[in-house]
Amino acid sequence: MLIEELRRRELPPLFTMNDGRPCTADLWRERRAEILDILQRNIYGYTPPPPEKVTGEVEAEEGERAFAGKVLQQRIRITFDTPKGDFSFPLYLFLPRNIPKPPLFLHIAFRPDIPDRYNPIEEITDNGFGLAFFHYKDVVNDNLHGDYSDGLGKLFIDTGTSKKRPSDQWGKIGMWAYAASRALDYLLTRDDVDGRHIAVVGHSRLGKTALWAAAQDERFFMGISNNSGIGGAAIAKHSTGERVIDFIRAGSWDWFCEKFQEYSGYEDINMPYDQHFVLAAIAPRFICVGSAEKDRGADPKSEFLSCVAASEVYELLGHSGLVTPDEYPTPGTSLHEGRIGYHLRPGHHYFSRTDWLEYMKFMRLKME
Ligand code: GCU
């Protein structure tokens, strides 16, 4: 039944190389590079090369009573070079004191608040995980309609008076993802963090970002998408969720590259990509996708189907991707057996405690 559903979606094939050869396990590295290139050219824009130097300086540390004394809490200034000069942003770090080298969630966060409803710090650290987060607007604003006047926008985009970037120049999702990789550069230098087990996580537009970060940067152990929807986990073609035209109307087309706007009629356009490409680029690493039943814009069925479609790659590489019965899940379902985890919870678009509990459970299961 699910295979039928996928066929109906008319997805571009994962396993046809650009020159027409069928992709085999041996060719997968090459195909992955092609897939990343297709995604950069058509949806997220090209990511600049990594900086030469990244540093982290502890700017502030809470006293020993932080979180009842259970947590080392620091604010770190991450600084790196760009072609137009240095850029820096704050990274907030929370490490449970009773675990010498905890695995960690790097959360690309909507707000810098501590506490914050999307960021249950104490619960995460009580569960034996470290947490690092940065506030996405410290990297570039989210004013919509193409405002690149601050942060990485100002350093990398020169739109002159036209307000239009070259068609494949990166957008804000690319910039936020780039910052996640710079945070990771720093976290990997710390000997009090388990660098082999760092998951990048985000909700909604920042779930799109977390997946794109994990797709590009193989040092991430896992990519976690909470309600990321269209432009994130969800297959776009024949979906019932948001459409490219909605992003254009809302002004959030600037999260993507300009080329993305050309796909506004995607029912009749043969897109060279769809979102299962993003998940596939994470393989054979781990992925966890969380959907909410009432999240119509994100289209849970399309988020789920994308996990099914990407599982092909895991199988090619000798692993299981999403392990699921041959039917759409019902609310309350959690599928954690393979390398792709998925859950569908009741309720609305939100980064809920239920979701965090699922991600912690999946992470614990998958760390050897
Ligand atoms: C809007 C947007 C979505 C996005 C969401 C969010 O609804 O259209 O694509 O995921 O905002 O980030 O909260």
Side-chain angles (χ1 to χ4, degrees):
M1 176 256 180
L2 293 175
I3 296 299
E4 262 318 298
E5 289 287 292
L6 274 176
R7 203 164 294 138
R8 238 177 23 84
R9 296 301 185 97
E10 307 177 278
L11 300 180
L14 282 166
F15 290 156
T16 309
M17 310 284 294
N18 289 350
D19 65 6
R21 278 174 304 162
C23 177
T24 58
D26 285 344
L27 285 174
W28 176 249
R29 298 287 321 154
E30 208 182 307
R31 180 60 182 152
R32 176 174 176 270
E34 289 182 358
I35 282 175
L36 286 172
D37 189 68
I38 293 168
L39 290 168
Q40 292 186 92
R41 187 154 12 100
N42 292 287
I43 171 162
Y44 303 112
Y46 280 93
T47 306
E52 265 166 28
K53 192 164 173 225
V54 180
T55 57
E57 187 203 333
V58 179
E59 280 184 330
E61 182 167 317
E62 286 297 307
E64 55 178 26
R65 300 178 74 123
F67 293 89
K70 295 181 290 187
V71 173
L72 171 74
Q73 177 180 347
Q74 294 179 335
R75 191 180 71 236
I76 293 141
R77 180 144 295 272
I78 307 290
T79 303
F80 60 90
D81 55 284
T82 80
K84 287 197 186 157
D86 280 358
F87 178 70
S88 71
F89 66 100
L91 180 74
Y92 303 84
L93 182 66
F94 307 84
L95 299 176
R97 288 190 191 270
N98 62 343
I99 299 192
K101 235 173 142 58
L104 181 137
F105 292 99
L106 172 61
H107 182 189
I108 308 168
F110 270 100
R111 290 167 294 272
D113 306 350
I114 303 167
D116 177 78
R117 61 185 181 279
Y118 283 180
N119 220 358
I121 298 165
E122 188 171 357
E123 180 134 22
I124 292 166
T125 50
D126 277 355
N127 271 281
F129 294 98
L131 173 77
F133 80 83
F134 64 89
H135 174 215
Y136 79 133
K137 289 183 183 170
D138 283 336
V139 175
V140 63
N141 73 68
D142 193 12
N143 294 342
L144 306 176
H145 300 290
D147 177 353
Y148 293 102
S149 60
D150 67 5
L152 291 185
K154 186 169 177 194
L155 289 163
F156 280 95
I157 309 274
D158 182 11
T159 49
T161 49
S162 76
K163 274 254 177 195
K164 220 175 148 109
R165 292 159 293 162
S167 126
D168 59 8
Q169 196 171 28
W170 65 344
K172 290 178 182 177
I173 287 177
M175 294 175 191
W176 297 320
Y178 190 79
S181 283
R182 306 299 63 90
L184 180 62
D185 291 337
Y186 167 73
L187 289 166
L188 291 175
T189 68
R190 292 202 49 141
D191 52 18
D192 53 358
V193 167
D194 174 1
R196 287 171 38 249
H197 296 121
I198 298 181
V200 57
V201 49
H203 167 65
S204 207
R205 72 201 67 176
L206 302 177
K208 308 184 209 300
T209 306
L211 287 178
W212 182 229
Q216 296 178 91
D217 193 331
E218 294 185 283
R219 300 169 303 168
F220 285 115
F221 174 71
M222 186 184 293
I224 302 176
S225 142
N226 196 68
N227 304 178
S228 66
I230 308 298
I235 296 290
K237 194 146 184 179
H238 302 302
S239 95
T240 57
E242 274 183 290
R243 323 202 54 77
V244 176
I245 191 70
D246 299 319
F247 292 100
I248 295 173
R249 287 197 187 114
S252 50
W253 49 268
D254 69 357
W255 297 342
F256 306 93
C257 68
E258 299 281 343
K259 176 87 183 164
F260 175 66
Q261 298 190 53
E262 291 175 21
Y263 297 116
S264 58
Y266 48 42
E267 290 312 348
D268 25 83
I269 291 175
N270 278 327
M271 285 156 67
Y273 72 96
D274 209 318
Q275 298 307 117
H276 60 316
F277 275 36
V278 181
L279 301 188
I282 302 176
R285 291 167 294 136
F286 296 88
I287 299 175
C288 206
V289 170
S291 301
E293 181 193 4
K294 294 185 176 156
D295 193 355
R296 293 200 26 218
D299 187 2
K301 282 190 174 166
S302 294
E303 294 186 312
F304 172 76
L305 272 187
S306 191
C307 298
V308 178
S311 295
E312 262 196 331
V313 182
Y314 287 79
E315 275 140 37
L316 180 76
L317 301 176
H319 302 285
S320 46
L322 181 71
V323 178
T324 173
D326 191 21
E327 61 196 20
Y328 281 118
T330 51
T333 301
S334 158
L335 303 165
H336 281 180
E337 209 178 308
R339 287 193 168 222
I340 304 182
Y342 177 86
H343 73 269
L344 175 65
R345 65 160 169 77
H348 291 279
H349 188 74
Y350 190 77
F351 199 169
S352 94
R353 177 175 172 272
T354 315
D355 299 311
W356 274 110
L357 293 176
E358 289 290 313
Y359 302 138
M360 288 193 274
K361 185 156 65 83
F362 188 68
M363 184 83 162
R364 222 177 279 116
L365 261 175
K366 302 302 163 183
M367 293 185 307
E368 66 282 2

